[in-house]
Amino acid sequence: MAGSDISKDDKLSVFEEIIQVSSPVWTWVYDKNASLLHSNCPSEAIFDHAFELFGFRQEMLKRSASHRPCVLAISPGLFWYIAFEYSGGELFRCVCLGPVSPQKVSIPAVATVLNSMNSQQIDPLWKHEFLKVLKDIPIEQSLYMQRYLITLNYLLTGQRSDLGDIYYDTAAAIAPESDSSGPHRSRRAVYRAEKALLEAVKNGSSDYLRAFDNSVNISSGVPIQSKDPLRRAKTSLVVFVTLVSRAAMAGGLSPDEAYPLGDHYIQIIESSDSMSQLLTISRPMYEDFLKRVRRVRMAGKYSRPVRDAISFIESNVARRLTAADVASSVGYSEYYLTRRFRQETGQKMGDFIVSRKLERARFLLADTDHSITRISQDLSFSSRSYFSRLFQKAYGITPAQYRADL
């Protein structure tokens, strides 16, 4: 039978079998409303309820709009890897792999998370059974799971992707274990990723999540020579906090605020007694510094309506946006908002939207291997040629020349 004659359902079944041969990773298939259709997990009801309890059902549907595979997790280090299938441009189903953990799950840490939640939501019998079956959670390196996810995404969409396309929608995102060779370990790639990471903090950039996710995909941190993995992780995180705090001060955050904040996170790091605790620190810390820089840069400069508009544009820069879209989303009339926007920023809102798209394009050109055509499509430009003309007009150089000069 020709490969093109095999249905996606058959391919998915083969994929499940292949995964099970090499690893006991479970597969879950949800419909467009996040109702479970199929799972090969022996504790299906228990883990499906956990998926609901942790808010992942709703979050999964939310993330499907990005058309990117994603990772969801809870802080003790339980990870779900999710790809989406579409039909006619609309979500058709969601396929998940997991839950898995990069190391043996700390049952007390999971119990602590459950105890911190609304006790009325948690059935004591379910909690007892859930903590009991956690010992059977597959332990898998994140790099392998990412490769499974990329394969699954290709199976469902026919689109090729790379590690940088995976969206980590979790405060527990971790750096994947990496090979010691290949382009993702090159010093140049690490330097570019770390530079983008710190520049995002300095500029209060809207692209900070992409910068963060891309950096952890490329670099696993400072190569500390120590036989103690926990000590290595702590030292690497302390260095990361220090670099981020310096970038934040360069972006305008007061040293009186930046130094105590950095000390606060370093104390949290040093007081951590497990890897699972450390997994929850880096991303919230990074976001905390960056958002403080953004507040400093915007405070007193723009009115609330304009700040809301800028925030919405930066959060949705990949979409095809109009002034009417922005006004409707932030709750103001188009006439009032566009007039006030131009008064305060000196730019028409449409020009500002384009400038933010081009800023994102510069990041993608420098920090990913995506083709120029793909970047123009991902940022909702009408064509590659139109994107190139706007880019050259703004920066005096074509996208291809910009990438070649890096």
Side-chain angles (χ1 to χ4, degrees):
M1 180 182 292
S4 59
D5 295 332
I6 303 176
S7 70
K8 283 187 179 179
D9 287 339
D10 290 335
K11 290 179 181 178
L12 188 58
S13 296
V14 172
F15 178 81
E16 288 182 18
E17 292 180 11
I18 291 174
I19 294 295
Q20 286 286 310
V21 167
S22 60
S23 172
V25 175
W26 304 307
T27 304
W28 307 74
V29 182
Y30 292 86
D31 67 14
K32 63 180 181 180
N33 298 311
S35 296
L36 182 62
L37 300 174
H38 162 74
S39 172
N40 59 1
C41 176
S43 303
E44 173 182 308
I46 295 174
F47 285 113
D48 184 50
H49 183 66
F51 199 77
E52 171 70 26
L53 189 66
F54 298 140
F56 289 163
R57 225 182 276 277
Q58 181 179 0
E59 197 62 32
M60 177 173 66
L61 293 179
K62 176 182 175 183
R63 287 301 153 204
S64 68
S66 71
H67 288 246
R68 292 171 59 186
C70 71
V71 180
L72 304 179
I74 59 171
S75 57
L78 298 178
F79 290 75
W80 280 261
Y81 293 74
I82 308 174
F84 305 101
E85 182 180 354
Y86 304 87
S87 177
E90 300 293 325
L91 179 65
F92 176 63
R93 61 182 171 181
C94 315
V95 182
C96 307
L97 302 175
V100 299
S101 179
Q103 59 188 3
K104 185 176 180 180
V105 176
S106 169
I107 306 300
V110 177
T112 298
V113 170
L114 294 175
N115 291 337
S116 69
M117 300 172 68
N118 186 342
S119 60
Q120 294 180 348
Q121 292 181 301
I122 302 177
D123 183 311
L125 180 59
W126 171 85
K127 177 182 175 181
H128 173 76
E129 292 298 317
F130 179 63
L131 294 177
K132 187 168 68 173
V133 299
L134 282 180
K135 61 181 175 57
D136 297 322
I137 289 288
I139 298 175
E140 287 296 328
Q141 294 184 8
S142 55
L143 181 61
Y144 293 154
M145 290 304 303
Q146 288 174 317
R147 288 172 175 168
Y148 291 157
L149 182 58
I150 288 172
T151 302
L152 176 61
N153 184 63
Y154 180 76
L155 184 156
L156 296 176
T157 67
Q159 297 178 352
R160 298 184 183 277
S161 53
D162 54 36
L163 297 181
D165 292 318
I166 299 174
Y167 189 95
Y168 282 83
D169 196 23
T170 166
I174 62 170
E177 299 83 323
S178 302
D179 298 325
S180 59
S181 61
H184 289 290
R185 292 298 300 159
S186 74
R187 293 185 182 277
R188 180 177 176 82
V190 171
Y191 169 74
R192 285 165 50 187
E194 292 178 350
K195 181 179 179 182
L197 189 74
L198 297 178
E199 283 292 318
V201 176
K202 179 180 176 181
N203 298 326
S205 172
S206 62
D207 233 353
Y208 68 93
L209 291 179
R210 176 87 183 196
F212 183 90
D213 292 342
N214 191 58
S215 179
V216 298
N217 281 331
I218 291 176
S219 173
S220 57
V222 181
I224 305 299
Q225 298 300 316
S226 171
K227 294 182 179 180
D228 181 359
L230 185 62
R231 181 65 263 166
R232 287 202 306 269
K234 285 185 176 183
T235 303
S236 187
L237 272 178
V238 168
V239 172
F240 184 41
V241 171
T242 303
L243 292 174
V244 169
S245 66
R246 299 304 185 269
M249 285 187 280
L253 191 64
S254 166
D256 292 335
E257 183 174 358
Y259 280 116
L261 185 62
D263 291 343
H264 165 72
Y265 281 110
I266 289 173
Q267 289 174 8
I268 293 175
I269 291 167
E270 292 298 338
S271 64
S272 298
D273 56 14
S274 69
M275 292 294 289
S276 62
Q277 291 180 12
L278 290 179
L279 293 177
T280 68
I281 298 173
S282 60
R283 184 163 179 163
M285 178 278 299
Y286 179 73
E287 290 191 77
D288 190 0
F289 271 103
L290 188 139
K291 289 179 179 179
R292 289 170 188 259
V293 171
R294 292 183 71 180
R295 284 198 295 269
V296 168
R297 292 168 73 92
M298 294 182 69
K301 188 175 182 180
Y302 301 125
S303 65
R304 178 60 181 272
V306 173
R307 290 201 305 270
D308 287 348
I310 291 174
S311 179
F312 178 81
I313 291 168
E314 291 182 337
S315 298
N316 296 273
V317 71
R319 291 174 49 189
R320 191 182 299 276
L321 291 175
T322 66
D325 296 330
V326 177
S328 174
S329 297
V330 299
Y332 300 96
S333 73
E334 182 181 357
Y335 174 76
Y336 169 80
L337 186 60
T338 53
R339 185 165 58 101
R340 189 153 191 175
F341 193 96
R342 186 165 189 178
Q343 287 174 346
E344 295 183 23
T345 68
Q347 284 184 286
K348 293 180 180 179
M349 189 179 293
D351 293 340
F352 181 86
I353 292 170
V354 170
S355 71
R356 284 298 186 262
K357 286 181 179 290
L358 293 176
E359 179 184 304
R360 172 75 67 90
R362 284 208 304 174
F363 170 81
L364 295 174
L365 287 166
D367 211 53
T368 74
D369 294 324
H370 297 170
S371 69
I372 295 173
T373 298
R374 175 176 174 177
I375 290 172
S376 68
Q377 292 172 343
D378 287 349
L379 293 174
S380 300
F381 288 100
S382 59
S383 67
R384 169 176 169 160
S385 60
Y386 178 61
F387 162 61
S388 296
R389 287 199 302 272
L390 290 176
F391 192 96
Q392 185 166 17
K393 182 179 179 181
Y395 303 118
I397 191 172
T398 67
Q401 291 169 330
Y402 178 82
R403 172 170 275 172
D405 289 344
L406 292 173

